[in-house]
Amino acid sequence: DQQVKQNSPSLSVQEGRISILNCDYTNSMFDYFLWYKKYPAEGPTFLISISSIKDKNEDGRFTVFLNKSAKHLSLHIVPSQPGDSAVYFCAASLVNSGGSNYKLTFGKGTLLTVNP
Amino acid sequence: DTEVTQTPKHLVMGMTNKKSLKCEQHMGHRAMYWYKQKAKKPPELMFVYSYEKLSINESVPSRFSPECPNSSLLNLHLHALQPEDSALYLCASSQETGAGGWGGTDTQYFGPGTRLTVL
């Protein structure tokens, strides 16, 4: 059973426009969410995160929105640039009563293509 | 600085070879991870070390043997691998927020990976 879902395998947008990447989760215990960007044959690069006590976090061109009641988060990139073309993974972690979260549950990723 | 380094970048090995993958971080992180990633798939967790002790082994076959010599280094020893073990092997590290309370802020930072091909 896939606990983190990215239902769009790919997305294509024009340079300068907004890119919106979506992610849904099923486990209501998840309380920390991250977005990673990945180029082929490279490791994932951390982009932005949000905790369950917030509904929005912004960092430059990247904004993540969290809707806990809908178990949905989205990543907005404005304005989109050709260098943003990559696979974007949504990941979630679960509060561990012992303290630290170890396991990241990843979605399958969305390939974003930003056309010049 | 959020850099995790991995060597080698590429590795080709036969099924009877013994080789090791290395990972290093100097961010003072106390949790380190090994992941395996196949093409067009998300990373799959293999092992977690916390304070140099193995915390999680995700039922990984014994032909993969992790080692954490100190808080900055993580190795993955490989022996008698199969062609289906060919993948991108990723190392990651995180702060390790410690016991007690809400620990939901351990961002994991990934290295560039080692592309392993088993012939």
Side-chain angles (χ1 to χ4, degrees), chain A residues 59-112:
Chain A
D59 184 1
R61 296 186 298 117
F62 302 94
T63 303
V64 57
F65 295 92
L66 176 63
N67 182 334
K68 284 181 63 181
S69 60
K71 297 194 188 69
H72 176 83
L73 64 155
S74 60
L75 175 67
H76 293 210
I77 307 174
V78 182
S80 302
Q81 299 172 354
D84 295 329
S85 298
V87 176
Y88 288 77
F89 287 100
C90 168
S93 65
L94 184 69
V95 169
N96 182 327
S97 60
S100 290
N101 301 298
Y102 294 129
K103 295 194 69 170
L104 286 181
T105 301
F106 285 89
K108 290 190 173 182
T110 296
L111 173 62
L112 173 66

Side-chain angles (χ1 to χ4, degrees), chain B residues 1-66:
Chain B
D1 182 17
T2 55
E3 189 178 27
V4 177
T5 59
Q6 289 186 245
T7 56
K9 193 169 175 61
H10 300 277
L11 178 63
V12 180
M13 60 186 291
M15 289 190 286
T16 58
N17 292 158
K18 284 185 182 180
K19 296 286 184 183
S20 297
L21 309 184
K22 296 186 184 302
C23 173
E24 191 166 2
Q25 57 87 14
H26 294 287
M27 296 178 277
H29 289 175
R30 302 313 299 268
M32 296 185 76
Y33 311 75
W34 280 115
Y35 286 84
K36 173 182 176 179
Q37 185 172 26
K38 293 278 216 179
K40 300 189 189 301
K41 300 280 189 184
E44 297 175 28
L45 183 65
M46 300 174 71
F47 301 104
V48 181
Y49 273 82
S50 174
Y51 289 88
E52 299 153 53
K53 288 186 169 34
L54 184 64
S55 294
I56 295 178
N57 177 340
E58 289 286 293
S59 302
V60 179
S62 60
R63 57 185 185 269
F64 296 93
S65 175

Side-chain angles (χ1 to χ4, degrees), chain A residues 49-64:
Chain A
S49 62
I50 188 167
S51 69
S52 58
I53 59 175
K54 295 186 175 183
D55 55 19
K56 177 183 174 182
N57 190 25
E58 194 170 354
D59 184 1
R61 296 186 298 117
F62 302 94
T63 303
V64 57

Side-chain angles (χ1 to χ4, degrees), chain A residues 38-54:
Chain A
K38 188 178 183 304
Y39 295 115
E42 291 186 13
T45 301
F46 169 70
L47 274 178
I48 193 168
S49 62
I50 188 167
S51 69
S52 58
I53 59 175
K54 295 186 175 183

Side-chain angles (χ1 to χ4, degrees), chain A residues 31-32 36 38 99-102, chain B residues 37 50 96 99 102-104 107-108:
Chain A
D31 74 341
Y32 189 55
Y36 288 89
K38 188 178 183 304
S100 290
N101 301 298
Y102 294 129
Chain B
Q37 185 172 26
S50 174
E96 173 67 90
W102 188 74
T107 297
Q108 293 183 26

Side-chain angles (χ1 to χ4, degrees), chain A residues 7-20:
Chain A
N7 291 320
S8 297
S10 63
L11 175 68
S12 183
V13 299
Q14 210 61 32
E15 181 178 6
R17 305 296 290 267
I18 184 171
S19 295
I20 300 177

